[in-house]
Amino acid sequence: MGRFGGERRRWASECIRGLAGLAFAALFGALGISAHSQTAPSADPAAQPPTQAAPSAPPATTESRDLKAVQQKSTVTVTIPRSYALVIGISAYKNLPATAQLEFPNRDAEDIYAALISPEGGQFPPENVHKLINERATIANIRHELEVWLPSVTQDNDRVLIYFAGHGFVSGGKGWLATYDVDLHNITTTAYPMDGLGSEIGGKIRGKWKVLITDACHSGAITPEADRQQVTQTLLDLQKSLFSLTASRDREQSFESDRWGGGHGIFTYYVIKGIEGEADTNGDGVVDADELAEYVHTNVRLATEGRQNPTSERGSFDRNMVLAYNPSRVKGANLPAPQFGNLIIETNMDGVEVWVDGKSAGVVNKGAALRLPGISPGSHTIKGVHLGYEPDGPREEQVYPGQDSTVSLRILIARRPNHAATEEFDKGIEFYNKGYEANYKKAIEHFNAAIALDPKFSAAMVYLGRAQSALYENDKAVVSLKAAVDLDPDYQEARSSYAAVLLDSGNLDEAVRQLDVVTRREPNRGWAWYLLSQAYARKDDFADGKTAAENAIRLTPKNAEAHFWLAECMRMLKQPADAEREYNTYLALSNFDTGMAGQLNYYLAGYLLGMGKKSRATQGDIWKELRGEAYFGLCNTSYAQKQFDQAITYCQKALTYLPNDLGVNYRLGVLYSEKFNQQNQLGLLAAAKLHFSASIQSNPDAIEADRARKYVKNIDSVLAQVQ
């Protein structure tokens, strides 16, 4: 089956960041949607067989925005149902003026996504969380996600969360969500009705736990209507088990500011901190709906001196609803609810990444403190890291109830490997650059020697892991690269390489989490976007895979494999013509001399590292395998367009690279059967039987093999009738 195994078989088979006051808050009040404001005050099915067969007050610069069941054990067992989420964040609007654009909703949505997929947070499977950020949040895409995707995948015992950050407004007495392509002259067809959202989540979207969180602004409305109470009431009468949390009460603004975690809607900042565990006031590791509502309401109200008051529907949802679970935070039962304090992080250097209790909390620059409100009182572990320097910490710092705790991070000592370690590393690189098994083994000896001389030599750890990956020592590679990331958490090249070996070992969820960190920290790192596109595609999240591949191609147009994964996603999204173009682009870009097998120049572009289940330790074999996959993709796109002759040509070409491949042989069998149905030539049936038999021999237990047996039986029946 090649690299993809069973996966490919499956493939072939006013602002409303709070609608000012009543309208948006009211509308989202029952559903828990909120919005953000702008400026603030001061203070494949088989073919048929042949037919014959306590934070301080906001500063004056604060801005208001208007327009699987998983079981974890600690002292208790927490069961988390299968979970789905839709995350929408819109800062830039296609048809609105510059004064109506927002600053942080896109970042809010990205960080909500990270909190939801975290194993120390929401524990949502990454492929079950769909993101619509800025230009992807069109009316068509939002309708598809809410009215097609979620109703089609959710079941009665699931957990479902919908998050929206952006503009909301009132028109014609109704509340609306402003989509990326909203046209204020054509509202009914370009904006999403809030009562329609209530209808979808209250009826068509199934689940025992439903969560709706909105951060929309309440001032600077993009339409003049001001009667919002009607909108709020629309969402107040939804079914039980719905937990809704909205940014503010009616007639209030929602604020955003760069003083909350480096830039967030204030409401969303506390939602994120709450999901990460700060809302767990009883110390059982679980963040439930009541705890999150109380944590967010208390902290937002304090932060804005009572000018913003998040609301929640407190009486209708299941009290056992688990919004997040972090077993490492289990402390004990019956603890008193804490008063929260603030961490103020200062540093002497730009670009210092701050880690609090083992989790990245953002980047702080010299002269611009990073403010982290809403921290539970007590001892916290703080560390500042900067690539190439010794970290400051980890060290214990106390947070006191209702007070600011200022931490000064000093990055002072440049990390320089000792001379002997550097010499060993350079020798290792020489062997590594040559490629091939014997050279990788020699490189590993030198990298290990360098690390023995300097245990903090993170670059040596990275190349050690890469060489180990080239030799299929994937377990060792995972350990080496994780050690590099642990040593230098802001070493994004190490984190990308770590994600790549996670892809090779099949740990797709953790690969997505690591790459999400990289692409948010360094959005111009094309290789990380390419790896992320592969991870999403292999998780069957083809929409996000397509977006990631497009980002990779924008940054690194000559990355052949990014075009390959874009083609795979387009094919699965039923865009065969576009997929065909991208497959051909990949084939053109990767049409190089295979005598270069094993060379570093292509290896570093991501060709070998992170290529999935590898069958050889040389570039040439993977080159053949991927080209075979591309021709097979072209075969399938032609088949989808009923271009059977062209499809046969492509599949035959694929067989020159993948001669025993189950999927290719099965597809050829189907194609020859289709041709027989058109032309009634017995020779076509013989060819079909040959390829069906080859697919059975390749993997007798595969689904395609079972289908192939039925085809062969039918073909034999037709041939017997003729004889």
Side-chain angles (χ1 to χ4, degrees), residues 365-633:
N365 295 315
K366 181 179 180 180
L370 177 66
R371 187 170 175 272
L372 301 173
I375 306 298
S376 57
S379 179
H380 293 268
T381 302
I382 313 295
K383 181 169 70 172
V385 298
H386 192 292
L387 185 61
Y389 289 81
E390 294 292 337
D392 184 347
R395 65 177 192 254
E396 296 296 308
E397 296 286 349
Q398 291 293 323
V399 173
Y400 298 96
Q403 296 185 23
D404 288 349
S405 297
T406 301
V407 178
S408 295
L409 297 175
R410 293 293 177 261
I411 307 297
L412 301 171
I413 303 173
R415 182 184 294 156
R416 297 184 177 87
N418 67 47
H419 182 68
T422 301
E423 287 185 340
E424 290 290 345
F425 176 72
D426 291 341
K427 291 176 183 177
I429 289 293
E430 290 180 16
F431 283 106
Y432 179 82
N433 287 347
K434 296 176 182 179
Y436 298 106
E437 181 177 359
N439 291 319
Y440 287 135
K441 289 181 177 179
K442 283 286 188 182
I444 286 173
E445 292 177 7
H446 289 291
F447 293 144
N448 276 323
I451 294 167
L453 291 165
D454 184 353
K456 296 183 179 180
F457 202 158
S458 57
M461 295 176 189
V462 169
Y463 279 91
L464 173 62
R466 288 174 167 174
Q468 290 166 333
S469 173
L471 297 174
Y472 311 114
E473 297 174 350
N474 231 59
D475 291 344
K476 293 181 180 179
V478 168
V479 172
S480 299
L481 287 160
K482 185 177 186 304
V485 172
D486 290 343
L487 182 63
D488 281 320
D490 59 343
Y491 189 0
Q492 303 306 331
E493 183 72 16
R495 197 177 292 276
S496 296
S497 297
Y498 178 42
V501 298
L502 291 170
L503 285 175
D504 290 342
S505 62
N507 190 345
L508 303 182
D509 285 355
E510 187 58 31
V512 169
R513 296 184 190 106
Q514 295 295 328
L515 292 166
D516 182 63
V517 172
V518 177
T519 54
R520 285 189 293 121
R521 288 280 184 268
E522 296 185 4
N524 292 327
R525 187 175 287 273
W527 186 47
W529 284 112
Y530 144 66
L531 292 172
L532 189 57
S533 71
Q534 179 192 156
Y536 280 138
R538 291 172 61 187
K539 294 284 288 180
D540 290 351
D541 184 354
F542 302 113
D544 284 331
K546 178 184 175 182
T547 298
E550 289 172 336
N551 284 334
I553 291 167
R554 174 177 55 83
L555 295 165
T556 53
K558 300 299 184 182
N559 183 334
E561 291 71 40
H563 290 276
F564 173 84
W565 288 106
L566 178 57
E568 292 283 272
C569 291
M570 286 175 163
R571 178 168 64 85
M572 298 308 297
L573 292 170
K574 302 188 185 305
Q575 301 167 4
D578 292 334
E580 183 176 5
R581 180 193 67 242
E582 293 301 325
Y583 281 127
N584 281 312
T585 301
Y586 160 73
L587 288 167
L589 290 173
S590 63
N591 189 24
F592 54 85
D593 181 2
T594 58
M596 293 170 59
Q599 292 300 309
L600 176 67
N601 55 350
Y602 215 91
Y603 182 97
L604 282 180
Y607 196 83
L608 183 59
L609 188 66
M611 287 306 300
K613 299 285 186 180
K614 298 189 293 289
S615 60
R616 303 289 189 279
T618 64
Q619 176 189 359
D621 292 313
I622 293 177
W623 175 83
K624 290 179 181 178
E625 196 167 329
L626 201 60
R627 285 181 73 81
E629 297 287 353
Y631 279 114
F632 182 52

Side-chain angles (χ1 to χ4, degrees), residues 246-383:
T246 188
S248 55
R249 294 189 302 217
D250 50 19
R251 299 186 178 90
E252 288 184 343
Q253 297 175 343
S254 295
F255 298 100
E256 63 176 2
S257 172
D258 60 5
R259 285 175 53 82
W260 270 261
H264 279 295
I266 297 174
F267 167 81
T268 290
Y269 171 81
Y270 287 110
V271 170
I272 293 168
K273 299 304 290 183
I275 291 173
E276 289 177 345
E278 293 295 343
D280 175 23
T281 55
N282 65 1
D284 63 357
V286 172
V287 175
D288 62 33
D290 276 328
E291 287 178 318
L292 183 65
E294 185 62 30
Y295 172 83
V296 172
H297 177 270
T298 298
N299 282 284
V300 171
R301 189 174 186 278
L302 287 171
T304 61
E305 295 184 323
R307 288 175 290 173
Q308 181 177 340
N309 293 269
T311 61
S312 62
E313 177 51 51
R314 306 297 296 276
S316 63
F317 53 81
D318 184 349
R319 296 324 234 218
N320 296 316
M321 181 185 294
V322 177
L323 299 182
Y325 178 55
N326 185 349
S328 68
R329 296 182 69 98
V330 175
K331 301 174 182 177
N334 302 318
L335 297 179
Q339 278 186 283
F340 297 94
N342 311 312
L343 276 171
I344 310 299
I345 311 296
E346 301 174 338
T347 186
N348 64 320
M349 180 181 290
D350 288 343
V352 175
E353 186 169 7
V354 179
W355 288 72
V356 178
D357 298 331
K359 183 180 291 291
S360 177
V363 176
V364 61
N365 295 315
K366 181 179 180 180
L370 177 66
R371 187 170 175 272
L372 301 173
I375 306 298
S376 57
S379 179
H380 293 268
T381 302
I382 313 295
K383 181 169 70 172

Side-chain angles (χ1 to χ4, degrees), residues 139-140 143 147 169-179 181-196 223 225:
I139 182 63
R143 285 192 182 281
E147 300 174 12
F169 62 96
V170 172
S171 178
K174 292 178 60 176
W176 303 84
L177 295 180
T179 64
D181 51 350
V182 65
D183 181 351
L184 297 183
H185 302 291
N186 189 14
I187 288 171
T188 58
T189 60
T190 63
Y192 197 88
M194 296 181 185
D195 56 358
T223 63
E225 279 191 59

